[in-house]
Structure formats: structure tokens, C-alpha cells
Amino acid sequence: MKKIKALYEKNKDFIMEVIHFGMVGVMNTVLGWVIIAVLYNLLHMSYWISSGISYFIGSVFSYHANSKVTFKVENKDKWLPWRFAINIIVCYLTAFGVAQPAARYVLSSQPEVIVDNVAIILGMGLFIIMNFFGQKLLVFRKTKKAGQNGGDVKS
């Protein structure tokens, strides 16, 4: 029990970031899925257009929520929105670019609408994982200010 408590204490900040990212992500995923489902299935927009619009809207929400709630950014530098946008674009194109061909390969005998809906779900899962680590390591990364002894300041 002591080892578990010590492990928790050592990783408490990371665990809380994952929990907060997950809470923001759940809200974002529900919003995103509704938007994609309406655009793709009801309005018959393409796979790329419907998922792209959904991820654009969700990204605006995610930027504000994760900077304040998850990663608690106090000092936003001028490059923060650009790093965030680049991270979102790279994660989106990679996740959805891999998901659609993978779903087509696995479900080659299924109708396109089934394949694309499975690809959307797979793409969302890949995006979530990639996006968390991209935001943590690249966007809202912790940096040390010159002259401070080990005090982390988020930039």
C-alpha cells in the first residue's frame, strides 16, 4: 500500500492532467460526435469535411479548456496558439489519415457508410492519444525560467 501511495504522490500531477484532459475530452468527444454524425449522416458531407469541421469547433473549446483546467497555463506566450493549431492539424491528419485506410482494409466487404463511421471512431481514438501527448509535451510544456532554481513555469 505504501508503494502505491508513493507512486501516486510521485505521479499526482500527471494523473490529474490525464483526468482533467479526459473530462474535457469527454465533453469534446460528445460535441464532436454529434457534429460529425449530423454533417456526415444527415447532411451527407464528406468524411474529411464533416470530421474537419467537427475538429475545428472542438479545438477552439479544447484550447481554452485545456490551457485553463488541464495544464493550468499562467503565462501564455505568443506562440502558444500556433503550437496548439499545429499539434491539432498534425494529430488530425495523422489519426484520420491512418483510420480510413485501416478501416477500409479490415472492413473491405462492408458498405462505405459503415467503413467511414468505423474510421471516424478509430480516428477519434487515435487523435485523443496523440493530442494528449502533443499538448503535454509540445503545446503546454513546462519550461524553466532563467535564474530560477528548478521552479517550473508553464509557457
mmCIF file of all heavy atoms in Angstrom, residues 62-108:
data_model
loop_
_atom_site.group_PDB
_atom_site.id
_atom_site.type_symbol
_atom_site.label_atom_id
_atom_site.label_comp_id
_atom_site.label_asym_id
_atom_site.label_seq_id
_atom_site.Cartn_x
_atom_site.Cartn_y
_atom_site.Cartn_z
ATOM 1 N N SER A 62 -11.338 23.047 -26.821
ATOM 2 C CA SER A 62 -10.247 22.321 -26.177
ATOM 3 C C SER A 62 -9.091 23.239 -25.797
ATOM 4 O O SER A 62 -8.506 23.105 -24.724
ATOM 5 C CB SER A 62 -9.746 21.216 -27.113
ATOM 6 O OG SER A 62 -8.668 20.533 -26.545
ATOM 7 N N TYR A 63 -8.756 24.167 -26.676
ATOM 8 C CA TYR A 63 -7.646 25.098 -26.400
ATOM 9 C C TYR A 63 -7.900 25.855 -25.103
ATOM 10 O O TYR A 63 -7.046 25.916 -24.220
ATOM 11 C CB TYR A 63 -7.466 26.076 -27.563
ATOM 12 C CG TYR A 63 -6.470 27.174 -27.268
ATOM 13 C CD1 TYR A 63 -5.106 26.919 -27.340
ATOM 14 C CD2 TYR A 63 -6.888 28.444 -26.902
ATOM 15 C CE1 TYR A 63 -4.183 27.911 -27.062
ATOM 16 C CE2 TYR A 63 -5.979 29.443 -26.626
ATOM 17 C CZ TYR A 63 -4.631 29.176 -26.710
ATOM 18 O OH TYR A 63 -3.716 30.146 -26.425
ATOM 19 N N HIS A 64 -9.081 26.434 -24.987
ATOM 20 C CA HIS A 64 -9.386 27.230 -23.806
ATOM 21 C C HIS A 64 -9.516 26.362 -22.553
ATOM 22 O O HIS A 64 -8.980 26.714 -21.501
ATOM 23 C CB HIS A 64 -10.654 28.055 -24.040
ATOM 24 C CG HIS A 64 -10.460 29.109 -25.078
ATOM 25 N ND1 HIS A 64 -9.681 30.222 -24.885
ATOM 26 C CD2 HIS A 64 -10.908 29.208 -26.343
ATOM 27 C CE1 HIS A 64 -9.670 30.966 -25.962
ATOM 28 N NE2 HIS A 64 -10.407 30.364 -26.874
ATOM 29 N N ALA A 65 -10.207 25.241 -22.667
ATOM 30 C CA ALA A 65 -10.408 24.381 -21.500
ATOM 31 C C ALA A 65 -9.102 23.748 -21.026
ATOM 32 O O ALA A 65 -8.817 23.746 -19.824
ATOM 33 C CB ALA A 65 -11.440 23.297 -21.820
ATOM 34 N N ASN A 66 -8.307 23.226 -21.944
ATOM 35 C CA ASN A 66 -7.073 22.565 -21.526
ATOM 36 C C ASN A 66 -6.020 23.545 -21.035
ATOM 37 O O ASN A 66 -5.257 23.238 -20.119
ATOM 38 C CB ASN A 66 -6.517 21.688 -22.644
ATOM 39 C CG ASN A 66 -7.257 20.379 -22.733
ATOM 40 O OD1 ASN A 66 -7.585 19.767 -21.726
ATOM 41 N ND2 ASN A 66 -7.558 19.951 -23.938
ATOM 42 N N SER A 67 -5.978 24.746 -21.593
ATOM 43 C CA SER A 67 -4.991 25.709 -21.107
ATOM 44 C C SER A 67 -5.320 26.159 -19.683
ATOM 45 O O SER A 67 -4.426 26.369 -18.874
ATOM 46 C CB SER A 67 -4.878 26.919 -22.043
ATOM 47 O OG SER A 67 -6.047 27.698 -22.016
ATOM 48 N N LYS A 68 -6.604 26.263 -19.357
ATOM 49 C CA LYS A 68 -7.008 26.728 -18.024
ATOM 50 C C LYS A 68 -7.152 25.589 -17.013
ATOM 51 O O LYS A 68 -6.680 25.680 -15.888
ATOM 52 C CB LYS A 68 -8.328 27.495 -18.123
ATOM 53 C CG LYS A 68 -8.197 28.842 -18.792
ATOM 54 C CD LYS A 68 -9.549 29.533 -18.844
ATOM 55 C CE LYS A 68 -9.481 30.942 -19.326
ATOM 56 N NZ LYS A 68 -9.154 31.187 -20.671
ATOM 57 N N VAL A 69 -7.833 24.514 -17.414
ATOM 58 C CA VAL A 69 -8.200 23.451 -16.473
ATOM 59 C C VAL A 69 -7.147 22.354 -16.384
ATOM 60 O O VAL A 69 -6.738 21.959 -15.298
ATOM 61 C CB VAL A 69 -9.566 22.838 -16.868
ATOM 62 C CG1 VAL A 69 -9.924 21.662 -15.979
ATOM 63 C CG2 VAL A 69 -10.653 23.890 -16.822
ATOM 64 N N THR A 70 -6.700 21.854 -17.526
ATOM 65 C CA THR A 70 -5.822 20.687 -17.530
ATOM 66 C C THR A 70 -4.379 21.046 -17.228
ATOM 67 O O THR A 70 -3.764 20.513 -16.308
ATOM 68 C CB THR A 70 -5.902 19.966 -18.891
ATOM 69 O OG1 THR A 70 -7.268 19.643 -19.155
ATOM 70 C CG2 THR A 70 -5.070 18.694 -18.885
ATOM 71 N N PHE A 71 -3.818 21.949 -18.018
ATOM 72 C CA PHE A 71 -2.392 22.246 -17.906
ATOM 73 C C PHE A 71 -2.103 23.533 -17.147
ATOM 74 O O PHE A 71 -0.953 23.880 -16.933
ATOM 75 C CB PHE A 71 -1.758 22.271 -19.305
ATOM 76 C CG PHE A 71 -1.912 20.954 -20.022
ATOM 77 C CD1 PHE A 71 -2.802 20.819 -21.072
ATOM 78 C CD2 PHE A 71 -1.188 19.841 -19.629
ATOM 79 C CE1 PHE A 71 -2.954 19.605 -21.736
ATOM 80 C CE2 PHE A 71 -1.333 18.621 -20.269
ATOM 81 C CZ PHE A 71 -2.214 18.505 -21.331
ATOM 82 N N LYS A 72 -3.141 24.253 -16.744
ATOM 83 C CA LYS A 72 -3.059 25.447 -15.892
ATOM 84 C C LYS A 72 -1.979 26.430 -16.359
ATOM 85 O O LYS A 72 -1.088 26.798 -15.620
ATOM 86 C CB LYS A 72 -2.847 25.043 -14.437
ATOM 87 C CG LYS A 72 -4.012 24.245 -13.885
ATOM 88 C CD LYS A 72 -3.758 23.794 -12.472
ATOM 89 C CE LYS A 72 -4.932 23.077 -11.883
ATOM 90 N NZ LYS A 72 -5.359 21.876 -12.532
ATOM 91 N N VAL A 73 -2.107 26.851 -17.598
ATOM 92 C CA VAL A 73 -1.153 27.778 -18.178
ATOM 93 C C VAL A 73 -1.408 29.168 -17.610
ATOM 94 O O VAL A 73 -2.509 29.688 -17.698
ATOM 95 C CB VAL A 73 -1.270 27.802 -19.721
ATOM 96 C CG1 VAL A 73 -0.347 28.836 -20.321
ATOM 97 C CG2 VAL A 73 -0.986 26.426 -20.275
ATOM 98 N N GLU A 74 -0.362 29.738 -17.023
ATOM 99 C CA GLU A 74 -0.484 31.061 -16.427
ATOM 100 C C GLU A 74 0.071 32.136 -17.358
ATOM 101 O O GLU A 74 -0.450 33.227 -17.431
ATOM 102 C CB GLU A 74 0.246 31.090 -15.089
ATOM 103 C CG GLU A 74 -0.380 30.147 -14.066
ATOM 104 C CD GLU A 74 0.496 29.949 -12.846
ATOM 105 O OE1 GLU A 74 1.503 30.666 -12.694
ATOM 106 O OE2 GLU A 74 0.174 29.059 -12.050
ATOM 107 N N ASN A 75 1.142 31.827 -18.027
ATOM 108 C CA ASN A 75 1.810 32.799 -18.872
ATOM 109 C C ASN A 75 1.753 32.323 -20.311
ATOM 110 O O ASN A 75 2.574 31.525 -20.729
ATOM 111 C CB ASN A 75 3.264 32.974 -18.410
ATOM 112 C CG ASN A 75 4.005 33.998 -19.228
ATOM 113 O OD1 ASN A 75 3.408 34.835 -19.893
ATOM 114 N ND2 ASN A 75 5.325 33.929 -19.197
ATOM 115 N N LYS A 76 0.799 32.821 -21.073
ATOM 116 C CA LYS A 76 0.631 32.380 -22.453
ATOM 117 C C LYS A 76 1.560 33.188 -23.357
ATOM 118 O O LYS A 76 1.409 34.390 -23.474
ATOM 119 C CB LYS A 76 -0.820 32.545 -22.907
ATOM 120 C CG LYS A 76 -1.775 31.634 -22.169
ATOM 121 C CD LYS A 76 -3.175 31.800 -22.684
ATOM 122 C CE LYS A 76 -4.128 30.916 -21.909
ATOM 123 N NZ LYS A 76 -5.495 31.049 -22.348
ATOM 124 N N ASP A 77 2.506 32.509 -23.993
ATOM 125 C CA ASP A 77 3.370 33.209 -24.937
ATOM 126 C C ASP A 77 2.680 33.330 -26.290
ATOM 127 O O ASP A 77 1.668 32.679 -26.555
ATOM 128 C CB ASP A 77 4.742 32.530 -25.053
ATOM 129 C CG ASP A 77 4.698 31.158 -25.690
ATOM 130 O OD1 ASP A 77 4.088 31.029 -26.774
ATOM 131 O OD2 ASP A 77 5.281 30.218 -25.137
ATOM 132 N N LYS A 78 3.225 34.164 -27.154
ATOM 133 C CA LYS A 78 2.590 34.442 -28.445
ATOM 134 C C LYS A 78 2.545 33.226 -29.363
ATOM 135 O O LYS A 78 1.743 33.184 -30.287
ATOM 136 C CB LYS A 78 3.293 35.602 -29.148
ATOM 137 C CG LYS A 78 4.720 35.283 -29.559
ATOM 138 C CD LYS A 78 5.376 36.462 -30.220
ATOM 139 C CE LYS A 78 6.808 36.107 -30.580
ATOM 140 N NZ LYS A 78 7.486 37.206 -31.220
ATOM 141 N N TRP A 79 3.389 32.237 -29.125
ATOM 142 C CA TRP A 79 3.441 31.050 -29.977
ATOM 143 C C TRP A 79 2.500 29.948 -29.531
ATOM 144 O O TRP A 79 2.295 28.981 -30.247
ATOM 145 C CB TRP A 79 4.878 30.508 -30.065
ATOM 146 C CG TRP A 79 5.784 31.499 -30.698
ATOM 147 C CD1 TRP A 79 6.723 32.269 -30.074
ATOM 148 C CD2 TRP A 79 5.813 31.862 -32.078
ATOM 149 N NE1 TRP A 79 7.336 33.091 -30.982
ATOM 150 C CE2 TRP A 79 6.797 32.858 -32.225
ATOM 151 C CE3 TRP A 79 5.096 31.450 -33.192
ATOM 152 C CZ2 TRP A 79 7.088 33.439 -33.449
ATOM 153 C CZ3 TRP A 79 5.381 32.027 -34.418
ATOM 154 C CH2 TRP A 79 6.362 33.002 -34.537
ATOM 155 N N LEU A 80 1.914 30.081 -28.345
ATOM 156 C CA LEU A 80 1.042 29.028 -27.809
ATOM 157 C C LEU A 80 -0.113 28.665 -28.753
ATOM 158 O O LEU A 80 -0.295 27.488 -29.062
ATOM 159 C CB LEU A 80 0.514 29.438 -26.430
ATOM 160 C CG LEU A 80 -0.322 28.408 -25.680
ATOM 161 C CD1 LEU A 80 0.484 27.156 -25.390
ATOM 162 C CD2 LEU A 80 -0.824 29.004 -24.382
ATOM 163 N N PRO A 81 -0.882 29.627 -29.257
ATOM 164 C CA PRO A 81 -1.965 29.240 -30.181
ATOM 165 C C PRO A 81 -1.452 28.567 -31.449
ATOM 166 O O PRO A 81 -2.100 27.680 -31.994
ATOM 167 C CB PRO A 81 -2.662 30.567 -30.512
ATOM 168 C CG PRO A 81 -2.244 31.512 -29.450
ATOM 169 C CD PRO A 81 -0.904 31.060 -28.970
ATOM 170 N N TRP A 82 -0.283 28.973 -31.911
ATOM 171 C CA TRP A 82 0.296 28.374 -33.123
ATOM 172 C C TRP A 82 0.751 26.941 -32.867
ATOM 173 O O TRP A 82 0.525 26.065 -33.697
ATOM 174 C CB TRP A 82 1.447 29.226 -33.650
ATOM 175 C CG TRP A 82 0.964 30.556 -34.119
ATOM 176 C CD1 TRP A 82 1.098 31.752 -33.467
ATOM 177 C CD2 TRP A 82 0.213 30.811 -35.301
ATOM 178 N NE1 TRP A 82 0.483 32.745 -34.185
ATOM 179 C CE2 TRP A 82 -0.070 32.199 -35.319
ATOM 180 C CE3 TRP A 82 -0.256 30.015 -36.342
ATOM 181 C CZ2 TRP A 82 -0.784 32.792 -36.346
ATOM 182 C CZ3 TRP A 82 -0.967 30.624 -37.360
ATOM 183 C CH2 TRP A 82 -1.223 31.985 -37.366
ATOM 184 N N ARG A 83 1.394 26.716 -31.711
ATOM 185 C CA ARG A 83 1.802 25.340 -31.366
ATOM 186 C C ARG A 83 0.564 24.462 -31.221
ATOM 187 O O ARG A 83 0.547 23.310 -31.659
ATOM 188 C CB ARG A 83 2.618 25.327 -30.063
ATOM 189 C CG ARG A 83 4.017 25.882 -30.205
ATOM 190 C CD ARG A 83 4.919 25.535 -29.029
ATOM 191 N NE ARG A 83 4.348 25.782 -27.726
ATOM 192 C CZ ARG A 83 4.555 26.876 -26.994
ATOM 193 N NH1 ARG A 83 5.301 27.861 -27.454
ATOM 194 N NH2 ARG A 83 4.027 26.986 -25.807
ATOM 195 N N PHE A 84 -0.490 25.016 -30.596
ATOM 196 C CA PHE A 84 -1.732 24.267 -30.427
ATOM 197 C C PHE A 84 -2.327 23.910 -31.789
ATOM 198 O O PHE A 84 -2.690 22.760 -32.037
ATOM 199 C CB PHE A 84 -2.739 25.071 -29.598
ATOM 200 C CG PHE A 84 -4.001 24.317 -29.311
ATOM 201 C CD1 PHE A 84 -4.079 23.476 -28.217
ATOM 202 C CD2 PHE A 84 -5.105 24.419 -30.148
ATOM 203 C CE1 PHE A 84 -5.238 22.762 -27.956
ATOM 204 C CE2 PHE A 84 -6.263 23.710 -29.895
ATOM 205 C CZ PHE A 84 -6.327 22.882 -28.792
ATOM 206 N N ALA A 85 -2.419 24.888 -32.672
ATOM 207 C CA ALA A 85 -3.009 24.658 -34.001
ATOM 208 C C ALA A 85 -2.203 23.630 -34.787
ATOM 209 O O ALA A 85 -2.780 22.735 -35.418
ATOM 210 C CB ALA A 85 -3.103 25.974 -34.775
ATOM 211 N N ILE A 86 -0.892 23.740 -34.759
ATOM 212 C CA ILE A 86 -0.044 22.781 -35.478
ATOM 213 C C ILE A 86 -0.222 21.383 -34.901
ATOM 214 O O ILE A 86 -0.337 20.405 -35.645
ATOM 215 C CB ILE A 86 1.434 23.225 -35.453
ATOM 216 C CG1 ILE A 86 1.598 24.473 -36.330
ATOM 217 C CG2 ILE A 86 2.366 22.100 -35.899
ATOM 218 C CD1 ILE A 86 2.923 25.189 -36.165
ATOM 219 N N ASN A 87 -0.268 21.275 -33.583
ATOM 220 C CA ASN A 87 -0.484 19.975 -32.941
ATOM 221 C C ASN A 87 -1.811 19.367 -33.381
ATOM 222 O O ASN A 87 -1.880 18.190 -33.736
ATOM 223 C CB ASN A 87 -0.446 20.121 -31.415
ATOM 224 C CG ASN A 87 -0.736 18.815 -30.708
ATOM 225 O OD1 ASN A 87 0.032 17.865 -30.780
ATOM 226 N ND2 ASN A 87 -1.868 18.758 -30.030
ATOM 227 N N ILE A 88 -2.875 20.172 -33.358
ATOM 228 C CA ILE A 88 -4.201 19.683 -33.752
ATOM 229 C C ILE A 88 -4.175 19.210 -35.207
ATOM 230 O O ILE A 88 -4.674 18.127 -35.537
ATOM 231 C CB ILE A 88 -5.278 20.775 -33.558
ATOM 232 C CG1 ILE A 88 -5.486 21.080 -32.077
ATOM 233 C CG2 ILE A 88 -6.598 20.388 -34.230
ATOM 234 C CD1 ILE A 88 -6.040 19.941 -31.248
ATOM 235 N N ILE A 89 -3.599 20.015 -36.089
ATOM 236 C CA ILE A 89 -3.560 19.670 -37.514
ATOM 237 C C ILE A 89 -2.783 18.379 -37.737
ATOM 238 O O ILE A 89 -3.251 17.481 -38.452
ATOM 239 C CB ILE A 89 -2.975 20.833 -38.340
ATOM 240 C CG1 ILE A 89 -3.965 22.004 -38.346
ATOM 241 C CG2 ILE A 89 -2.644 20.393 -39.759
ATOM 242 C CD1 ILE A 89 -3.375 23.320 -38.834
ATOM 243 N N VAL A 90 -1.610 18.261 -37.129
ATOM 244 C CA VAL A 90 -0.786 17.056 -37.310
ATOM 245 C C VAL A 90 -1.505 15.826 -36.746
ATOM 246 O O VAL A 90 -1.571 14.779 -37.403
ATOM 247 C CB VAL A 90 0.606 17.235 -36.667
ATOM 248 C CG1 VAL A 90 1.356 15.910 -36.575
ATOM 249 C CG2 VAL A 90 1.424 18.268 -37.438
ATOM 250 N N CYS A 91 -2.065 15.949 -35.546
ATOM 251 C CA CYS A 91 -2.776 14.816 -34.939
ATOM 252 C C CYS A 91 -3.998 14.432 -35.766
ATOM 253 O O CYS A 91 -4.252 13.251 -35.994
ATOM 254 C CB CYS A 91 -3.194 15.147 -33.506
ATOM 255 S SG CYS A 91 -1.829 15.262 -32.347
ATOM 256 N N TYR A 92 -4.750 15.428 -36.218
ATOM 257 C CA TYR A 92 -5.953 15.165 -37.010
ATOM 258 C C TYR A 92 -5.610 14.465 -38.318
ATOM 259 O O TYR A 92 -6.191 13.419 -38.652
ATOM 260 C CB TYR A 92 -6.706 16.481 -37.280
ATOM 261 C CG TYR A 92 -7.782 16.336 -38.331
ATOM 262 C CD1 TYR A 92 -8.984 15.700 -38.031
ATOM 263 C CD2 TYR A 92 -7.593 16.802 -39.621
ATOM 264 C CE1 TYR A 92 -9.965 15.544 -38.995
ATOM 265 C CE2 TYR A 92 -8.568 16.656 -40.586
ATOM 266 C CZ TYR A 92 -9.749 16.025 -40.269
ATOM 267 O OH TYR A 92 -10.707 15.868 -41.220
ATOM 268 N N LEU A 93 -4.677 15.038 -39.074
ATOM 269 C CA LEU A 93 -4.334 14.444 -40.373
ATOM 270 C C LEU A 93 -3.747 13.043 -40.215
ATOM 271 O O LEU A 93 -4.063 12.138 -40.989
ATOM 272 C CB LEU A 93 -3.369 15.353 -41.133
ATOM 273 C CG LEU A 93 -3.961 16.677 -41.632
ATOM 274 C CD1 LEU A 93 -2.868 17.542 -42.265
ATOM 275 C CD2 LEU A 93 -5.109 16.447 -42.595
ATOM 276 N N THR A 94 -2.921 12.861 -39.201
ATOM 277 C CA THR A 94 -2.315 11.542 -38.967
ATOM 278 C C THR A 94 -3.376 10.529 -38.541
ATOM 279 O O THR A 94 -3.477 9.443 -39.122
ATOM 280 C CB THR A 94 -1.205 11.632 -37.909
ATOM 281 O OG1 THR A 94 -0.230 12.592 -38.334
ATOM 282 C CG2 THR A 94 -0.541 10.281 -37.698
ATOM 283 N N ALA A 95 -4.160 10.877 -37.519
ATOM 284 C CA ALA A 95 -5.150 9.928 -36.977
ATOM 285 C C ALA A 95 -6.199 9.555 -38.017
ATOM 286 O O ALA A 95 -6.469 8.365 -38.236
ATOM 287 C CB ALA A 95 -5.818 10.522 -35.733
ATOM 288 N N PHE A 96 -6.775 10.548 -38.668
ATOM 289 C CA PHE A 96 -7.828 10.256 -39.630
ATOM 290 C C PHE A 96 -7.263 9.729 -40.946
ATOM 291 O O PHE A 96 -7.914 8.962 -41.647
ATOM 292 C CB PHE A 96 -8.733 11.473 -39.829
ATOM 293 C CG PHE A 96 -9.731 11.616 -38.715
ATOM 294 C CD1 PHE A 96 -9.371 12.212 -37.514
ATOM 295 C CD2 PHE A 96 -11.003 11.113 -38.847
ATOM 296 C CE1 PHE A 96 -10.278 12.315 -36.474
ATOM 297 C CE2 PHE A 96 -11.926 11.209 -37.804
ATOM 298 C CZ PHE A 96 -11.556 11.808 -36.624
ATOM 299 N N GLY A 97 -6.032 10.116 -41.260
ATOM 300 C CA GLY A 97 -5.376 9.577 -42.450
ATOM 301 C C GLY A 97 -5.026 8.106 -42.309
ATOM 302 O O GLY A 97 -5.029 7.359 -43.291
ATOM 303 N N VAL A 98 -4.745 7.662 -41.099
ATOM 304 C CA VAL A 98 -4.476 6.244 -40.833
ATOM 305 C C VAL A 98 -5.781 5.475 -40.666
ATOM 306 O O VAL A 98 -5.908 4.343 -41.128
ATOM 307 C CB VAL A 98 -3.594 6.101 -39.567
ATOM 308 C CG1 VAL A 98 -3.564 4.668 -39.055
ATOM 309 C CG2 VAL A 98 -2.187 6.606 -39.829
ATOM 310 N N ALA A 99 -6.761 6.088 -40.014
ATOM 311 C CA ALA A 99 -8.007 5.391 -39.667
ATOM 312 C C ALA A 99 -8.807 4.961 -40.893
ATOM 313 O O ALA A 99 -9.299 3.828 -40.941
ATOM 314 C CB ALA A 99 -8.868 6.279 -38.770
ATOM 315 N N GLN A 100 -8.933 5.826 -41.876
ATOM 316 C CA GLN A 100 -9.771 5.479 -43.021
ATOM 317 C C GLN A 100 -9.197 4.312 -43.825
ATOM 318 O O GLN A 100 -9.920 3.353 -44.101
ATOM 319 C CB GLN A 100 -10.018 6.706 -43.898
ATOM 320 C CG GLN A 100 -11.152 6.460 -44.886
ATOM 321 C CD GLN A 100 -11.498 7.701 -45.682
ATOM 322 O OE1 GLN A 100 -10.613 8.435 -46.095
ATOM 323 N NE2 GLN A 100 -12.786 7.932 -45.886
ATOM 324 N N PRO A 101 -7.908 4.321 -44.193
ATOM 325 C CA PRO A 101 -7.381 3.162 -44.920
ATOM 326 C C PRO A 101 -7.396 1.877 -44.074
ATOM 327 O O PRO A 101 -7.645 0.793 -44.602
ATOM 328 C CB PRO A 101 -5.945 3.549 -45.267
ATOM 329 C CG PRO A 101 -5.867 5.018 -45.100
ATOM 330 C CD PRO A 101 -6.949 5.414 -44.153
ATOM 331 N N ALA A 102 -7.153 2.013 -42.768
ATOM 332 C CA ALA A 102 -7.186 0.830 -41.894
ATOM 333 C C ALA A 102 -8.590 0.234 -41.851
ATOM 334 O O ALA A 102 -8.761 -0.983 -41.945
ATOM 335 C CB ALA A 102 -6.709 1.198 -40.488
ATOM 336 N N ALA A 103 -9.586 1.092 -41.695
ATOM 337 C CA ALA A 103 -10.974 0.602 -41.667
ATOM 338 C C ALA A 103 -11.357 -0.008 -43.015
ATOM 339 O O ALA A 103 -12.028 -1.039 -43.057
ATOM 340 C CB ALA A 103 -11.924 1.742 -41.300
ATOM 341 N N ARG A 104 -10.923 0.602 -44.096
ATOM 342 C CA ARG A 104 -11.219 0.045 -45.429
ATOM 343 C C ARG A 104 -10.579 -1.326 -45.600
ATOM 344 O O ARG A 104 -11.170 -2.228 -46.190
ATOM 345 C CB ARG A 104 -10.699 0.982 -46.522
ATOM 346 C CG ARG A 104 -11.612 2.120 -46.795
ATOM 347 C CD ARG A 104 -11.186 2.882 -48.045
ATOM 348 N NE ARG A 104 -12.087 4.004 -48.240
ATOM 349 C CZ ARG A 104 -11.707 5.196 -48.624
ATOM 350 N NH1 ARG A 104 -10.439 5.439 -48.873
ATOM 351 N NH2 ARG A 104 -12.587 6.157 -48.764
ATOM 352 N N TYR A 105 -9.365 -1.486 -45.101
ATOM 353 C CA TYR A 105 -8.663 -2.764 -45.223
ATOM 354 C C TYR A 105 -9.380 -3.849 -44.419
ATOM 355 O O TYR A 105 -9.620 -4.944 -44.929
ATOM 356 C CB TYR A 105 -7.220 -2.606 -44.740
ATOM 357 C CG TYR A 105 -6.438 -3.889 -44.781
ATOM 358 C CD1 TYR A 105 -5.971 -4.394 -45.992
ATOM 359 C CD2 TYR A 105 -6.181 -4.604 -43.620
ATOM 360 C CE1 TYR A 105 -5.256 -5.584 -46.040
ATOM 361 C CE2 TYR A 105 -5.478 -5.794 -43.652
ATOM 362 C CZ TYR A 105 -5.016 -6.284 -44.865
ATOM 363 O OH TYR A 105 -4.321 -7.459 -44.903
ATOM 364 N N VAL A 106 -9.724 -3.538 -43.169
ATOM 365 C CA VAL A 106 -10.346 -4.521 -42.287
ATOM 366 C C VAL A 106 -11.794 -4.809 -42.693
ATOM 367 O O VAL A 106 -12.251 -5.940 -42.610
ATOM 368 C CB VAL A 106 -10.277 -4.046 -40.817
ATOM 369 C CG1 VAL A 106 -11.079 -4.951 -39.896
ATOM 370 C CG2 VAL A 106 -8.830 -3.968 -40.351
ATOM 371 N N LEU A 107 -12.503 -3.792 -43.162
ATOM 372 C CA LEU A 107 -13.930 -3.935 -43.464
ATOM 373 C C LEU A 107 -14.208 -3.822 -44.961
ATOM 374 O O LEU A 107 -15.224 -3.264 -45.373
ATOM 375 C CB LEU A 107 -14.719 -2.857 -42.708
ATOM 376 C CG LEU A 107 -14.563 -2.854 -41.187
ATOM 377 C CD1 LEU A 107 -15.162 -1.600 -40.589
ATOM 378 C CD2 LEU A 107 -15.182 -4.096 -40.580
ATOM 379 N N SER A 108 -13.337 -4.376 -45.762
ATOM 380 C CA SER A 108 -13.409 -4.191 -47.218
ATOM 381 C C SER A 108 -14.733 -4.652 -47.837
ATOM 382 O O SER A 108 -15.141 -4.142 -48.870
ATOM 383 C CB SER A 108 -12.246 -4.905 -47.900
ATOM 384 O OG SER A 108 -12.295 -6.292 -47.619
#
